[in-house]
Amino acid sequence: MGKTAIHDFFELGAKEDIDGAWDCFGPDAVWIDAQGDEPGTTYTKAQIRDHLVRLNDLAKQIRSQGIDGVFEEPVFLAGGEQAIVEWSVRKGTGEIVDRGIDLFTLKDGKIAVKDVFRKA
């Protein structure tokens, strides 16, 4: 499978291109976080940009402590409209301190759903 909005999202996010990463989401997109009262917290397209800013700031704080996130290559499921991305947060020693998966759904070439599942 060729490059997708999921690939673009991670590449742009790594470059701290908030607007570019936000543009990878479709107009009716939702991002369902692992934490919150729902369970989780659902962010609409209008809220996703601010969420990206918060996560970018948090990533900077974490990296300053020698900890960083590692995102694996997306694994596309049957039909190619859904993909799983495994991720982990690791110390400089390689020790994993957090891990989970993001389940993405694509629609019309954009991210329609980013649903985060986290090991607690």
Side-chain angles (χ1 to χ4, degrees), residues 6-16 31 33 51-52 55-56 58-60 62-63 67-75 84-90 96 98-104 114-118:
I6 299 167
H7 293 95
D8 290 342
F9 169 72
F10 283 105
E11 286 178 14
L12 293 163
K15 295 176 185 174
E16 299 181 12
W31 178 324
D33 225 357
H51 187 53
L52 286 167
L55 289 176
N56 191 56
L58 179 60
K60 287 178 185 177
I62 290 171
R63 281 193 301 270
I67 301 172
D68 202 2
V70 176
F71 297 90
E72 306 298 336
E73 186 69 18
V75 175
I84 293 174
V85 174
E86 292 182 73
W87 55 265
S88 58
V89 177
R90 301 175 189 199
I96 295 174
D98 199 2
R99 68 188 187 110
I101 62 166
D102 291 356
L103 176 61
F104 287 89
K114 180 183 187 297
D115 199 353
V116 181
F117 296 84
R118 178 180 163 262

Side-chain angles (χ1 to χ4, degrees), residues 19-92:
D19 289 326
W22 182 62
D23 190 49
C24 294
F25 289 84
D28 298 323
V30 293
W31 178 324
I32 306 166
D33 225 357
Q35 294 111 343
D37 297 333
E38 298 177 30
T41 300
T42 301
Y43 299 94
T44 64
K45 170 70 182 229
Q47 299 166 315
I48 289 173
R49 187 184 184 289
D50 288 341
H51 187 53
L52 286 167
V53 169
R54 284 189 301 274
L55 289 176
N56 191 56
D57 291 344
L58 179 60
K60 287 178 185 177
Q61 291 173 4
I62 290 171
R63 281 193 301 270
S64 74
Q65 299 170 30
I67 301 172
D68 202 2
V70 176
F71 297 90
E72 306 298 336
E73 186 69 18
V75 175
F76 285 84
L77 306 176
E81 294 297 309
Q82 284 192 309
I84 293 174
V85 174
E86 292 182 73
W87 55 265
S88 58
V89 177
R90 301 175 189 199
K91 293 181 180 180

